[in-house]
Amino acid sequence: MGLLDGVLGGLGDDAAGGLGELLKGQGGVAGLAEKLGGAGLGDVVGSWISQGANAGISPEQITAALGAGPVADFAARLGVDPQQAAETLAGLLPEAIDRLTPGGTLEGAEGLLDGLPGGLGDMIGGFLKR
């Protein structure tokens, strides 16, 4: 995970805040799920929401589904290039969505999202310790 560790090292709060902004900009967790589903990634995002193993997503799939603008905004928040930001999102989104949907459904996810960055800051810290 070396590159991801380097990108996120010392950026926990910025990454959490940026991820929260990105999710809210996509219409929340439900909006992101819809956008990813529309890009042919419904099974992938469904695995993040449901209870069980989270499927992976590539940086290229992230950029194609979300668009270059939101990825560039996230990159600017972190002070990295868009490719690094897409790699970061590919590593963080599965676990972030999983944690925002603890019951295996979208119900209640927006309430948890409104409480960011605290919860995601903790998740990002745990992600970096792997």
Side-chain angles (χ1 to χ4, degrees):
M1 207 175 306
L3 177 59
L4 187 58
D5 290 340
V7 171
L8 288 177
L11 297 175
D13 290 341
D14 285 342
L19 188 56
E21 286 176 9
L22 179 113
L23 288 171
K24 290 174 184 177
Q26 297 302 311
V29 177
L32 177 73
E34 185 176 320
K35 192 166 234 182
L36 292 174
L41 299 168
D43 290 343
V44 172
V45 73
S47 75
W48 305 346
I49 295 167
S50 68
Q51 297 176 330
N54 294 330
I57 189 167
S58 73
E60 295 77 21
Q61 289 172 310
I62 293 282
T63 302
L66 300 183
V71 174
D73 291 344
F74 183 72
R77 173 78 185 243
L78 296 183
V80 299
D81 67 56
Q83 178 59 38
Q84 289 175 311
E87 290 171 8
T88 300
L89 288 169
L92 292 177
L93 275 177
E95 188 167 348
I97 301 305
D98 186 55
R99 289 187 183 224
L100 290 167
T101 57
T105 69
L106 290 172
E107 187 175 327
E110 302 315 317
L112 292 173
L113 181 58
D114 288 339
L116 296 178
L120 282 184
D122 295 342
M123 182 271 298
I124 290 170
F127 184 80
L128 291 174
K129 291 179 184 170
R130 289 185 196 175

Short mmCIF file of all heavy atoms in Angstrom, two decimals, residues 42-104:
data_model
loop_
_atom_site.label_atom_id
_atom_site.label_comp_id
_atom_site.label_asym_id
_atom_site.label_seq_id
_atom_site.Cartn_x
_atom_site.Cartn_y
_atom_site.Cartn_z
N GLY A 42 -22.82 -1.14 -9.88
CA GLY A 42 -23.82 -1.41 -8.86
C GLY A 42 -23.45 -2.54 -7.94
O GLY A 42 -23.66 -2.46 -6.72
N ASP A 43 -22.89 -3.61 -8.49
CA ASP A 43 -22.48 -4.75 -7.66
C ASP A 43 -21.35 -4.36 -6.72
O ASP A 43 -21.29 -4.82 -5.58
CB ASP A 43 -22.05 -5.94 -8.51
CG ASP A 43 -23.21 -6.60 -9.24
OD1 ASP A 43 -24.38 -6.35 -8.86
OD2 ASP A 43 -22.95 -7.36 -10.20
N VAL A 44 -20.46 -3.50 -7.19
CA VAL A 44 -19.32 -3.07 -6.37
C VAL A 44 -19.82 -2.26 -5.18
O VAL A 44 -19.52 -2.57 -4.03
CB VAL A 44 -18.31 -2.26 -7.22
CG1 VAL A 44 -17.24 -1.65 -6.33
CG2 VAL A 44 -17.67 -3.14 -8.28
N VAL A 45 -20.61 -1.21 -5.46
CA VAL A 45 -21.09 -0.37 -4.37
C VAL A 45 -22.07 -1.15 -3.49
O VAL A 45 -22.11 -0.94 -2.28
CB VAL A 45 -21.69 0.96 -4.89
CG1 VAL A 45 -23.03 0.76 -5.55
CG2 VAL A 45 -21.80 1.98 -3.77
N GLY A 46 -22.80 -2.07 -4.07
CA GLY A 46 -23.69 -2.91 -3.28
C GLY A 46 -22.94 -3.73 -2.26
O GLY A 46 -23.42 -3.95 -1.14
N SER A 47 -21.73 -4.16 -2.61
CA SER A 47 -20.93 -4.94 -1.66
C SER A 47 -20.45 -4.07 -0.50
O SER A 47 -20.25 -4.55 0.60
CB SER A 47 -19.73 -5.60 -2.37
OG SER A 47 -18.70 -4.65 -2.65
N TRP A 48 -20.27 -2.78 -0.75
CA TRP A 48 -19.85 -1.87 0.32
C TRP A 48 -20.98 -1.62 1.30
O TRP A 48 -20.77 -1.47 2.50
CB TRP A 48 -19.39 -0.53 -0.23
CG TRP A 48 -18.32 -0.58 -1.27
CD1 TRP A 48 -17.51 -1.63 -1.60
CD2 TRP A 48 -17.95 0.47 -2.14
NE1 TRP A 48 -16.66 -1.29 -2.61
CE2 TRP A 48 -16.91 0.01 -2.96
CE3 TRP A 48 -18.39 1.78 -2.31
CZ2 TRP A 48 -16.30 0.79 -3.94
CZ3 TRP A 48 -17.78 2.56 -3.27
CH2 TRP A 48 -16.74 2.07 -4.08
N ILE A 49 -22.20 -1.56 0.76
CA ILE A 49 -23.38 -1.28 1.58
C ILE A 49 -23.81 -2.51 2.35
O ILE A 49 -24.13 -2.43 3.54
CB ILE A 49 -24.53 -0.75 0.70
CG1 ILE A 49 -24.13 0.60 0.10
CG2 ILE A 49 -25.82 -0.65 1.50
CD1 ILE A 49 -25.02 1.08 -1.03
N SER A 50 -23.82 -3.65 1.69
CA SER A 50 -24.27 -4.88 2.34
C SER A 50 -23.25 -5.36 3.36
O SER A 50 -22.11 -4.91 3.38
CB SER A 50 -24.52 -5.96 1.30
OG SER A 50 -23.30 -6.37 0.70
N GLN A 51 -23.70 -6.26 4.19
CA GLN A 51 -22.78 -6.84 5.16
C GLN A 51 -22.01 -7.95 4.48
O GLN A 51 -22.57 -8.79 3.81
CB GLN A 51 -23.55 -7.32 6.38
CG GLN A 51 -24.23 -6.16 7.08
CD GLN A 51 -25.10 -6.57 8.25
OE1 GLN A 51 -25.65 -7.65 8.28
NE2 GLN A 51 -25.20 -5.68 9.22
N GLY A 52 -20.71 -7.93 4.63
CA GLY A 52 -19.85 -8.90 3.97
C GLY A 52 -18.64 -8.19 3.40
O GLY A 52 -18.39 -7.02 3.66
N ALA A 53 -17.91 -8.92 2.59
CA ALA A 53 -16.66 -8.40 2.02
C ALA A 53 -16.94 -7.26 1.05
O ALA A 53 -17.95 -7.27 0.33
CB ALA A 53 -15.90 -9.51 1.32
N ASN A 54 -16.05 -6.27 1.04
CA ASN A 54 -16.16 -5.14 0.13
C ASN A 54 -15.36 -5.41 -1.14
O ASN A 54 -14.18 -5.72 -1.07
CB ASN A 54 -15.60 -3.87 0.79
CG ASN A 54 -16.41 -3.42 1.97
OD1 ASN A 54 -17.61 -3.63 2.03
ND2 ASN A 54 -15.75 -2.80 2.93
N ALA A 55 -16.03 -5.25 -2.28
CA ALA A 55 -15.34 -5.39 -3.56
C ALA A 55 -14.44 -4.16 -3.78
O ALA A 55 -14.74 -3.07 -3.29
CB ALA A 55 -16.35 -5.49 -4.70
N GLY A 56 -13.38 -4.36 -4.50
CA GLY A 56 -12.46 -3.27 -4.81
C GLY A 56 -12.94 -2.45 -6.00
O GLY A 56 -13.82 -2.86 -6.75
N ILE A 57 -12.36 -1.28 -6.12
CA ILE A 57 -12.65 -0.39 -7.24
C ILE A 57 -11.32 0.23 -7.65
O ILE A 57 -10.45 0.48 -6.81
CB ILE A 57 -13.69 0.69 -6.85
CG1 ILE A 57 -14.15 1.47 -8.07
CG2 ILE A 57 -13.18 1.58 -5.73
CD1 ILE A 57 -15.40 2.32 -7.82
N SER A 58 -11.15 0.44 -8.94
CA SER A 58 -9.88 1.00 -9.41
C SER A 58 -9.95 2.52 -9.45
O SER A 58 -11.04 3.11 -9.53
CB SER A 58 -9.57 0.46 -10.82
OG SER A 58 -10.43 1.07 -11.78
N PRO A 59 -8.79 3.17 -9.43
CA PRO A 59 -8.76 4.63 -9.58
C PRO A 59 -9.42 5.09 -10.88
O PRO A 59 -10.12 6.10 -10.91
CB PRO A 59 -7.27 4.98 -9.56
CG PRO A 59 -6.63 3.85 -8.83
CD PRO A 59 -7.45 2.64 -9.17
N GLU A 60 -9.24 4.32 -11.93
CA GLU A 60 -9.84 4.66 -13.22
C GLU A 60 -11.37 4.58 -13.16
O GLU A 60 -12.06 5.43 -13.74
CB GLU A 60 -9.30 3.74 -14.32
CG GLU A 60 -7.82 3.90 -14.59
CD GLU A 60 -6.91 3.23 -13.55
OE1 GLU A 60 -7.36 2.32 -12.82
OE2 GLU A 60 -5.74 3.64 -13.45
N GLN A 61 -11.89 3.58 -12.46
CA GLN A 61 -13.34 3.46 -12.31
C GLN A 61 -13.89 4.63 -11.49
O GLN A 61 -14.97 5.14 -11.79
CB GLN A 61 -13.71 2.13 -11.64
CG GLN A 61 -13.49 0.93 -12.53
CD GLN A 61 -13.67 -0.37 -11.77
OE1 GLN A 61 -13.11 -0.57 -10.70
NE2 GLN A 61 -14.46 -1.27 -12.34
N ILE A 62 -13.15 5.04 -10.46
CA ILE A 62 -13.57 6.18 -9.65
C ILE A 62 -13.69 7.42 -10.52
O ILE A 62 -14.71 8.12 -10.51
CB ILE A 62 -12.56 6.45 -8.50
CG1 ILE A 62 -12.55 5.31 -7.49
CG2 ILE A 62 -12.79 7.81 -7.86
CD1 ILE A 62 -13.69 5.33 -6.51
N THR A 63 -12.65 7.72 -11.29
CA THR A 63 -12.64 8.92 -12.13
C THR A 63 -13.72 8.86 -13.19
O THR A 63 -14.41 9.85 -13.44
CB THR A 63 -11.26 9.12 -12.76
OG1 THR A 63 -10.28 9.21 -11.71
CG2 THR A 63 -11.20 10.39 -13.60
N ALA A 64 -13.91 7.69 -13.81
CA ALA A 64 -14.93 7.56 -14.84
C ALA A 64 -16.33 7.75 -14.27
O ALA A 64 -17.18 8.40 -14.89
CB ALA A 64 -14.82 6.19 -15.52
N ALA A 65 -16.57 7.22 -13.09
CA ALA A 65 -17.91 7.30 -12.50
C ALA A 65 -18.22 8.67 -11.91
O ALA A 65 -19.32 9.19 -12.08
CB ALA A 65 -18.06 6.22 -11.42
N LEU A 66 -17.26 9.26 -11.22
CA LEU A 66 -17.50 10.53 -10.54
C LEU A 66 -17.24 11.74 -11.43
O LEU A 66 -17.80 12.80 -11.20
CB LEU A 66 -16.63 10.64 -9.29
CG LEU A 66 -16.82 9.58 -8.22
CD1 LEU A 66 -15.94 9.87 -7.02
CD2 LEU A 66 -18.28 9.46 -7.82
N GLY A 67 -16.36 11.56 -12.38
CA GLY A 67 -15.96 12.67 -13.24
C GLY A 67 -14.67 13.28 -12.74
O GLY A 67 -14.32 13.18 -11.56
N ALA A 68 -13.97 13.93 -13.65
CA ALA A 68 -12.67 14.51 -13.31
C ALA A 68 -12.80 15.67 -12.33
O ALA A 68 -11.92 15.87 -11.49
CB ALA A 68 -11.96 14.96 -14.58
N GLY A 69 -13.89 16.43 -12.39
CA GLY A 69 -14.06 17.59 -11.53
C GLY A 69 -14.06 17.25 -10.05
O GLY A 69 -13.26 17.82 -9.28
N PRO A 70 -14.93 16.35 -9.60
CA PRO A 70 -14.93 16.00 -8.18
C PRO A 70 -13.61 15.38 -7.71
O PRO A 70 -13.17 15.63 -6.58
CB PRO A 70 -16.08 15.00 -8.06
CG PRO A 70 -17.00 15.36 -9.17
CD PRO A 70 -16.08 15.78 -10.29
N VAL A 71 -12.97 14.60 -8.56
CA VAL A 71 -11.68 14.00 -8.19
C VAL A 71 -10.63 15.10 -8.07
O VAL A 71 -9.82 15.10 -7.14
CB VAL A 71 -11.26 12.90 -9.19
CG1 VAL A 71 -9.86 12.39 -8.89
CG2 VAL A 71 -12.26 11.74 -9.16
N ALA A 72 -10.66 16.06 -8.99
CA ALA A 72 -9.71 17.18 -8.93
C ALA A 72 -9.94 18.03 -7.68
O ALA A 72 -8.98 18.50 -7.06
CB ALA A 72 -9.81 18.04 -10.19
N ASP A 73 -11.21 18.22 -7.31
CA ASP A 73 -11.51 18.98 -6.08
C ASP A 73 -10.96 18.26 -4.86
O ASP A 73 -10.39 18.89 -3.96
CB ASP A 73 -13.01 19.18 -5.93
CG ASP A 73 -13.60 20.12 -6.97
OD1 ASP A 73 -12.84 20.86 -7.63
OD2 ASP A 73 -14.85 20.10 -7.12
N PHE A 74 -11.12 16.94 -4.82
CA PHE A 74 -10.59 16.15 -3.71
C PHE A 74 -9.06 16.23 -3.70
O PHE A 74 -8.45 16.39 -2.64
CB PHE A 74 -11.07 14.70 -3.83
CG PHE A 74 -10.64 13.79 -2.71
CD1 PHE A 74 -11.19 13.91 -1.45
CD2 PHE A 74 -9.69 12.80 -2.93
CE1 PHE A 74 -10.79 13.07 -0.41
CE2 PHE A 74 -9.30 11.96 -1.90
CZ PHE A 74 -9.85 12.10 -0.64
N ALA A 75 -8.46 16.17 -4.88
CA ALA A 75 -7.00 16.28 -5.00
C ALA A 75 -6.52 17.62 -4.46
O ALA A 75 -5.52 17.68 -3.72
CB ALA A 75 -6.57 16.11 -6.46
N ALA A 76 -7.22 18.69 -4.81
CA ALA A 76 -6.82 20.03 -4.34
C ALA A 76 -6.92 20.10 -2.82
O ALA A 76 -6.07 20.70 -2.17
CB ALA A 76 -7.71 21.09 -4.99
N ARG A 77 -7.94 19.47 -2.25
CA ARG A 77 -8.10 19.48 -0.79
C ARG A 77 -6.91 18.80 -0.12
O ARG A 77 -6.45 19.22 0.94
CB ARG A 77 -9.42 18.77 -0.44
CG ARG A 77 -9.67 18.54 1.02
CD ARG A 77 -10.15 19.81 1.71
NE ARG A 77 -10.29 19.64 3.13
CZ ARG A 77 -11.41 19.73 3.79
NH1 ARG A 77 -12.54 20.02 3.16
NH2 ARG A 77 -11.43 19.57 5.09
N LEU A 78 -6.41 17.73 -0.75
CA LEU A 78 -5.29 16.98 -0.19
C LEU A 78 -3.93 17.54 -0.60
O LEU A 78 -2.91 17.17 -0.02
CB LEU A 78 -5.35 15.52 -0.60
CG LEU A 78 -6.54 14.70 -0.12
CD1 LEU A 78 -6.39 13.26 -0.58
CD2 LEU A 78 -6.69 14.77 1.37
N GLY A 79 -3.92 18.36 -1.64
CA GLY A 79 -2.65 18.87 -2.13
C GLY A 79 -1.86 17.83 -2.91
O GLY A 79 -0.63 17.82 -2.87
N VAL A 80 -2.59 16.98 -3.64
CA VAL A 80 -1.96 15.93 -4.45
C VAL A 80 -2.50 16.04 -5.87
O VAL A 80 -3.43 16.79 -6.14
CB VAL A 80 -2.23 14.52 -3.87
CG1 VAL A 80 -1.66 14.39 -2.47
CG2 VAL A 80 -3.72 14.18 -3.89
N ASP A 81 -1.92 15.26 -6.78
CA ASP A 81 -2.44 15.29 -8.15
C ASP A 81 -3.68 14.40 -8.24
O ASP A 81 -3.92 13.56 -7.37
CB ASP A 81 -1.35 14.89 -9.17
CG ASP A 81 -0.92 13.45 -9.06
OD1 ASP A 81 -1.78 12.55 -9.14
OD2 ASP A 81 0.29 13.21 -8.91
N PRO A 82 -4.50 14.59 -9.28
CA PRO A 82 -5.75 13.84 -9.41
C PRO A 82 -5.57 12.32 -9.44
O PRO A 82 -6.41 11.59 -8.92
CB PRO A 82 -6.36 14.36 -10.71
CG PRO A 82 -5.85 15.76 -10.80
CD PRO A 82 -4.44 15.67 -10.27
N GLN A 83 -4.48 11.83 -10.03
CA GLN A 83 -4.26 10.38 -10.04
C GLN A 83 -4.07 9.86 -8.62
O GLN A 83 -4.63 8.83 -8.25
CB GLN A 83 -3.05 10.01 -10.91
CG GLN A 83 -2.72 8.52 -10.92
CD GLN A 83 -3.86 7.64 -11.42
OE1 GLN A 83 -4.58 8.00 -12.35
NE2 GLN A 83 -4.02 6.46 -10.83
N GLN A 84 -3.29 10.57 -7.81
CA GLN A 84 -3.10 10.16 -6.42
C GLN A 84 -4.42 10.25 -5.66
O GLN A 84 -4.72 9.39 -4.83
CB GLN A 84 -2.06 11.03 -5.74
CG GLN A 84 -0.64 10.77 -6.21
CD GLN A 84 0.34 11.75 -5.60
OE1 GLN A 84 0.12 12.96 -5.62
NE2 GLN A 84 1.41 11.22 -5.06
N ALA A 85 -5.22 11.27 -5.95
CA ALA A 85 -6.52 11.40 -5.29
C ALA A 85 -7.43 10.24 -5.66
O ALA A 85 -8.13 9.70 -4.79
CB ALA A 85 -7.16 12.73 -5.68
N ALA A 86 -7.44 9.84 -6.93
CA ALA A 86 -8.26 8.71 -7.35
C ALA A 86 -7.80 7.42 -6.68
O ALA A 86 -8.62 6.59 -6.27
CB ALA A 86 -8.22 8.56 -8.87
N GLU A 87 -6.49 7.25 -6.53
CA GLU A 87 -5.96 6.07 -5.83
C GLU A 87 -6.39 6.10 -4.36
O GLU A 87 -6.75 5.06 -3.79
CB GLU A 87 -4.44 6.04 -5.94
CG GLU A 87 -3.95 5.73 -7.33
CD GLU A 87 -2.45 5.89 -7.50
OE1 GLU A 87 -1.73 6.11 -6.50
OE2 GLU A 87 -2.00 5.82 -8.66
N THR A 88 -6.37 7.27 -3.76
CA THR A 88 -6.79 7.41 -2.37
C THR A 88 -8.26 7.07 -2.23
O THR A 88 -8.65 6.31 -1.34
CB THR A 88 -6.52 8.86 -1.89
OG1 THR A 88 -5.12 9.12 -2.00
CG2 THR A 88 -6.96 9.05 -0.45
N LEU A 89 -9.08 7.60 -3.13
CA LEU A 89 -10.51 7.31 -3.08
C LEU A 89 -10.79 5.82 -3.30
O LEU A 89 -11.68 5.26 -2.65
CB LEU A 89 -11.25 8.14 -4.12
CG LEU A 89 -11.37 9.62 -3.80
CD1 LEU A 89 -11.87 10.41 -5.00
CD2 LEU A 89 -12.27 9.83 -2.59
N ALA A 90 -10.04 5.20 -4.20
CA ALA A 90 -10.24 3.77 -4.44
C ALA A 90 -9.95 2.96 -3.18
O ALA A 90 -10.57 1.93 -2.93
CB ALA A 90 -9.36 3.29 -5.59
N GLY A 91 -9.02 3.44 -2.36
CA GLY A 91 -8.72 2.76 -1.11
C GLY A 91 -9.69 3.09 0.00
O GLY A 91 -10.00 2.24 0.83
N LEU A 92 -10.19 4.32 0.03
CA LEU A 92 -11.03 4.77 1.14
C LEU A 92 -12.52 4.54 0.95
O LEU A 92 -13.22 4.24 1.92
CB LEU A 92 -10.81 6.27 1.38
CG LEU A 92 -9.46 6.68 1.93
CD1 LEU A 92 -9.38 8.19 2.05
CD2 LEU A 92 -9.19 6.03 3.28
N LEU A 93 -13.03 4.72 -0.25
CA LEU A 93 -14.47 4.66 -0.44
C LEU A 93 -15.11 3.34 0.00
O LEU A 93 -16.16 3.37 0.65
CB LEU A 93 -14.86 4.96 -1.89
CG LEU A 93 -15.02 6.43 -2.24
CD1 LEU A 93 -15.32 6.61 -3.72
CD2 LEU A 93 -16.10 7.09 -1.40
N PRO A 94 -14.53 2.19 -0.33
CA PRO A 94 -15.20 0.95 0.11
C PRO A 94 -15.41 0.89 1.62
O PRO A 94 -16.51 0.57 2.08
CB PRO A 94 -14.24 -0.15 -0.37
CG PRO A 94 -13.55 0.45 -1.56
CD PRO A 94 -13.37 1.90 -1.19
N GLU A 95 -14.39 1.22 2.38
CA GLU A 95 -14.53 1.15 3.83
C GLU A 95 -15.39 2.28 4.36
O GLU A 95 -16.17 2.10 5.30
CB GLU A 95 -13.17 1.15 4.53
CG GLU A 95 -13.32 0.87 6.00
CD GLU A 95 -12.01 0.56 6.69
OE1 GLU A 95 -10.99 0.32 6.03
OE2 GLU A 95 -12.04 0.54 7.93
N ALA A 96 -15.28 3.47 3.77
CA ALA A 96 -16.09 4.60 4.23
C ALA A 96 -17.58 4.31 4.04
O ALA A 96 -18.37 4.49 4.97
CB ALA A 96 -15.70 5.86 3.47
N ILE A 97 -17.95 3.82 2.87
CA ILE A 97 -19.36 3.51 2.61
C ILE A 97 -19.81 2.36 3.50
O ILE A 97 -20.91 2.36 4.05
CB ILE A 97 -19.60 3.20 1.12
CG1 ILE A 97 -19.21 4.40 0.24
CG2 ILE A 97 -21.06 2.79 0.88
CD1 ILE A 97 -19.89 5.71 0.60
N ASP A 98 -18.94 1.38 3.68
CA ASP A 98 -19.25 0.27 4.57
C ASP A 98 -19.56 0.77 5.98
O ASP A 98 -20.53 0.36 6.60
CB ASP A 98 -18.08 -0.72 4.58
CG ASP A 98 -18.37 -1.98 5.37
OD1 ASP A 98 -19.37 -2.64 5.08
OD2 ASP A 98 -17.58 -2.29 6.28
N ARG A 99 -18.74 1.70 6.47
CA ARG A 99 -18.94 2.23 7.83
C ARG A 99 -20.13 3.16 7.93
O ARG A 99 -20.72 3.30 8.99
CB ARG A 99 -17.68 2.93 8.31
CG ARG A 99 -16.59 1.93 8.61
CD ARG A 99 -15.42 2.60 9.23
NE ARG A 99 -14.37 1.64 9.44
CZ ARG A 99 -13.66 1.57 10.55
NH1 ARG A 99 -13.89 2.40 11.53
NH2 ARG A 99 -12.71 0.68 10.67
N LEU A 100 -20.49 3.80 6.84
CA LEU A 100 -21.66 4.68 6.84
C LEU A 100 -22.97 3.91 6.67
O LEU A 100 -24.04 4.49 6.81
CB LEU A 100 -21.53 5.73 5.74
CG LEU A 100 -20.47 6.81 5.98
CD1 LEU A 100 -20.22 7.61 4.71
CD2 LEU A 100 -20.89 7.73 7.12
N THR A 101 -22.87 2.62 6.38
CA THR A 101 -24.05 1.77 6.22
C THR A 101 -23.93 0.52 7.09
O THR A 101 -23.96 -0.60 6.59
CB THR A 101 -24.24 1.38 4.74
OG1 THR A 101 -23.04 0.73 4.28
CG2 THR A 101 -24.52 2.58 3.86
N PRO A 102 -23.79 0.70 8.42
CA PRO A 102 -23.52 -0.44 9.29
C PRO A 102 -24.61 -1.50 9.33
O PRO A 102 -24.34 -2.65 9.61
CB PRO A 102 -23.32 0.20 10.67
CG PRO A 102 -24.05 1.49 10.60
CD PRO A 102 -23.92 1.94 9.17
N GLY A 103 -25.84 -1.13 9.02
CA GLY A 103 -26.93 -2.10 9.02
C GLY A 103 -27.10 -2.82 7.70
O GLY A 103 -28.02 -3.61 7.53
N GLY A 104 -26.23 -2.53 6.74
CA GLY A 104 -26.32 -3.18 5.44
C GLY A 104 -27.34 -2.53 4.52
O GLY A 104 -27.71 -3.11 3.49
#
